[in-house]
């Protein structure tokens, strides 16, 4: 039992038992960590770990008042903390984060600054649900590939990967200047994602 308690204490100090909260918030796009603010992740982990550990201690204390074998107090408490951490993330942390972001954007709006979005630029650019025409060019405006959007990697720290399905027929829009002229003259709604590291420009036709 002492070994298990020691392990839990180590997990708390390392932020380990806050992982579930953080995982859900990241995968649901409520929190995003870039290379520049990666250290913030440990602050979040430590905060959630402290909250979860407090819940754990409370459950262990309450379990003493029930006719439960003492050797089951800690395992039951751990299981309940895992369940409660998921529930609290969905019904408490997410609403609080939404309120916080709304307040932040209200203040930014008053200062005539752009809105804050927790998602990365890549996730914002490729978060569409329906298939779209996509043209990929290098910085010399040479076509790399064009086609209909398929799957995209949405993990920010992973390599930029995606699947495109080729068009059924060739198109003059594979020429960069022709494509830009078409977008401008036909008043086409389009987004351009630029990746400096990969040296590519991705034109997304909405």
């Amino acid at each position: 039992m002492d070994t298990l308690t020691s392990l839990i204490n180590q997990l708390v100090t390392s932020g380990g038992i806050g992982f579930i909260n953080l995982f859900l918030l990241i995968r649901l796009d409520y929190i995003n960590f870039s290379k520049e603010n990666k250290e913030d992740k440990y602050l979040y982990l430590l905060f959630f770990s402290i909250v979860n550990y407090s819940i754990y201690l409370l459950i262990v204390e309450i379990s003493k008042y029930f006719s439960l074998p003492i050797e089951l107090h800690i395992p039951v408490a751990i299981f309940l903390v895992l369940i409660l951490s998921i529930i609290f993330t969905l019904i408490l942390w997410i609403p609080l984060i939404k309120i916080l972001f709304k307040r932040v954007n209200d203040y930014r709006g008053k200062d005539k600054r752009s809105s804050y979005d927790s998602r990365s630029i890549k996730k914002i650019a490729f978060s569409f649900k329906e298939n779209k025409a996509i043209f990929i060019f290098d910085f010399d405006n040479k076509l790399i590939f064009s086609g209909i959007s398929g799957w995209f990697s949405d993990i920010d720290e992973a390599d930029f990967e995606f699947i495109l399905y080729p068009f059924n027929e060739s198109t003059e829009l594979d020429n960069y200047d022709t494509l830009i002229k078409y977008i401008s003259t036909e008043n086409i709604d389009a987004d351009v994602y630029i990746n400096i590291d990969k040296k590519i420009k991705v034109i997304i036709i909405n």
Side-chain angles (χ1 to χ4, degrees), residues 19-20 34 42 49-50 62 69 92-93 95 99 102 106 112 118 140 147 151 155 167 175 201:
F19 174 76
I20 293 178
S34 63
Y42 302 108
S49 291
I50 292 173
I62 293 175
L92 178 61
W93 303 128
I99 293 172
K102 187 178 185 306
D106 287 343
K112 299 187 179 189
S118 62
D140 294 322
W151 296 94
I155 301 177
F167 294 123
N175 178 275
K201 295 182 287 188

Coordinates of all heavy atoms in Angstrom, one line a residue, residues 19-20 34 42 49-50 62 69 92-93 95 99 102 106 112 118 140 147 151 155 167 175 201:
F19 N -3.1 14.1 -16.9 CA -3.0 13.8 -18.3 C -4.3 13.7 -19.0 O -4.5 14.1 -20.1 CB -2.1 12.6 -18.5 CG -2.0 12.1 -20.0 CD1 -1.2 12.8 -20.8 CD2 -2.8 11.1 -20.4 CE1 -1.1 12.4 -22.2 CE2 -2.7 10.7 -21.7 CZ -1.9 11.4 -22.6
I20 N -5.2 13.0 -18.3 CA -6.5 12.8 -19.0 C -7.3 14.1 -19.3 O -7.8 14.3 -20.4 CB -7.4 11.9 -18.1 CG1 -6.8 10.5 -18.0 CG2 -8.9 11.8 -18.6 CD1 -7.6 9.6 -17.1
S34 N 2.1 25.2 -28.9 CA 3.0 25.3 -30.0 C 4.4 25.1 -29.4 O 4.6 24.9 -28.2 CB 2.9 26.7 -30.6 OG 3.2 27.7 -29.7
Y42 N 3.1 21.9 -18.8 CA 3.5 21.4 -17.5 C 2.7 22.1 -16.4 O 2.3 21.5 -15.4 CB 5.0 21.5 -17.3 CG 5.8 20.7 -18.3 CD1 6.5 21.5 -19.3 CD2 5.8 19.4 -18.4 CE1 7.2 20.8 -20.3 CE2 6.5 18.7 -19.4 CZ 7.2 19.4 -20.3 OH 7.9 18.8 -21.3
S49 N -3.4 17.9 -12.0 CA -3.0 16.9 -11.0 C -3.3 17.2 -9.6 O -3.7 16.4 -8.8 CB -1.4 16.6 -11.2 OG -1.1 16.0 -12.4
I50 N -3.1 18.5 -9.2 CA -3.4 18.9 -7.9 C -4.9 18.8 -7.6 O -5.3 18.3 -6.5 CB -3.0 20.4 -7.7 CG1 -1.4 20.5 -7.7 CG2 -3.5 20.9 -6.4 CD1 -0.9 21.9 -7.6
I62 N -13.5 9.6 2.5 CA -14.9 9.2 2.6 C -15.1 7.7 2.7 O -16.0 7.2 3.3 CB -15.7 9.8 1.4 CG1 -15.7 11.4 1.5 CG2 -17.1 9.3 1.4 CD1 -16.4 12.1 0.3
P69 N -13.3 -3.0 2.3 CA -11.9 -3.5 2.8 C -10.9 -2.4 2.5 O -10.9 -1.7 1.5 CB -11.7 -4.7 1.9 CG -13.0 -5.2 1.5 CD -13.9 -4.0 1.4
L92 N -17.2 21.0 -16.5 CA -16.6 22.2 -15.8 C -15.5 22.9 -16.5 O -15.6 24.1 -16.8 CB -16.1 21.6 -14.4 CG -15.4 22.7 -13.5 CD1 -16.5 23.8 -13.2 CD2 -14.9 22.1 -12.3
W93 N -14.4 22.2 -16.9 CA -13.3 22.9 -17.4 C -13.6 23.4 -18.8 O -13.2 24.6 -19.1 CB -12.1 21.9 -17.5 CG -11.7 21.3 -16.2 CD1 -11.5 20.0 -15.9 CD2 -11.4 22.1 -15.0 NE1 -11.1 19.9 -14.6 CE2 -11.1 21.1 -14.0 CE3 -11.4 23.4 -14.6 CZ2 -10.8 21.5 -12.7 CZ3 -11.1 23.8 -13.3 CH2 -10.8 22.8 -12.4
P95 N -16.6 24.4 -20.2 CA -17.4 25.7 -20.0 C -16.6 26.9 -19.5 O -16.7 28.0 -20.0 CB -18.5 25.3 -19.1 CG -18.7 23.8 -19.3 CD -17.3 23.3 -19.5
I99 N -15.9 30.4 -21.4 CA -16.1 31.7 -20.8 C -14.9 32.6 -20.8 O -14.9 33.8 -21.1 CB -16.7 31.6 -19.4 CG1 -18.1 30.9 -19.4 CG2 -16.8 32.9 -18.7 CD1 -18.6 30.5 -18.0
K102 N -14.1 33.8 -24.3 CA -15.1 34.8 -24.7 C -14.7 36.2 -24.1 O -14.8 37.2 -24.7 CB -16.5 34.4 -24.3 CG -17.6 35.4 -24.8 CD -19.0 34.9 -24.4 CE -20.0 35.8 -25.1 NZ -19.9 37.2 -24.8
D106 N -13.6 39.5 -26.0 CA -14.4 40.8 -25.8 C -13.4 41.9 -25.6 O -13.6 43.0 -26.1 CB -15.4 40.6 -24.6 CG -16.5 39.7 -25.0 OD1 -16.8 39.5 -26.2 OD2 -17.2 39.3 -24.0
K112 N -9.8 46.6 -30.7 CA -9.7 46.4 -32.1 C -8.5 45.5 -32.5 O -7.8 45.8 -33.5 CB -9.6 47.8 -32.8 CG -10.8 48.7 -32.6 CD -10.8 49.9 -33.4 CE -12.0 50.7 -33.0 NZ -12.3 51.9 -33.8
S118 N -7.7 29.2 -29.8 CA -6.8 28.2 -29.1 C -6.2 27.2 -30.1 O -5.2 26.6 -29.8 CB -7.6 27.5 -28.0 OG -8.6 26.7 -28.5
D140 N 8.4 28.9 -55.3 CA 8.7 29.4 -56.7 C 7.4 29.3 -57.5 O 7.5 29.5 -58.8 CB 9.8 28.6 -57.3 CG 11.1 28.8 -56.6 OD1 11.4 29.9 -56.2 OD2 11.9 27.8 -56.4
G147 N -5.8 18.5 -56.1 CA -6.8 17.5 -56.0 C -7.8 17.8 -55.0 O -7.9 19.0 -54.5
W151 N -7.7 13.1 -46.1 CA -7.3 13.1 -44.7 C -6.2 14.0 -44.4 O -5.3 14.2 -45.2 CB -7.0 11.7 -44.3 CG -8.1 10.7 -44.4 CD1 -8.4 9.9 -45.5 CD2 -9.2 10.5 -43.5 NE1 -9.5 9.2 -45.2 CE2 -10.0 9.5 -44.0 CE3 -9.5 11.0 -42.2 CZ2 -11.1 9.0 -43.4 CZ3 -10.6 10.5 -41.5 CH2 -11.4 9.6 -42.1
I155 N -2.4 16.5 -35.6 CA -1.6 16.6 -34.4 C -0.5 17.7 -34.7 O 0.3 17.5 -35.7 CB -0.9 15.3 -34.1 CG1 -1.9 14.2 -33.8 CG2 0.1 15.4 -32.9 CD1 -1.3 12.8 -33.5
F167 N -7.8 15.1 -59.4 CA -9.0 15.5 -60.1 C -9.2 14.5 -61.3 O -8.2 13.9 -61.7 CB -8.8 16.9 -60.8 CG -8.8 18.0 -59.7 CD1 -7.7 18.9 -59.7 CD2 -9.8 18.2 -58.8 CE1 -7.6 19.9 -58.8 CE2 -9.7 19.2 -57.9 CZ -8.6 20.1 -57.9
N175 N -1.8 26.1 -62.9 CA -0.9 27.2 -63.1 C -1.2 28.2 -62.0 O -2.3 28.7 -61.9 CB -1.0 27.8 -64.5 CG -0.1 28.9 -64.7 OD1 -0.4 30.1 -64.3 ND2 1.1 28.7 -65.2
K201 N 2.9 26.6 -50.2 CA 1.6 27.4 -50.1 C 0.5 26.5 -50.5 O 0.5 25.9 -51.6 CB 1.7 28.6 -51.1 CG 2.8 29.6 -50.7 CD 2.8 30.8 -51.6 CE 3.4 30.5 -53.0 NZ 3.6 31.7 -53.9

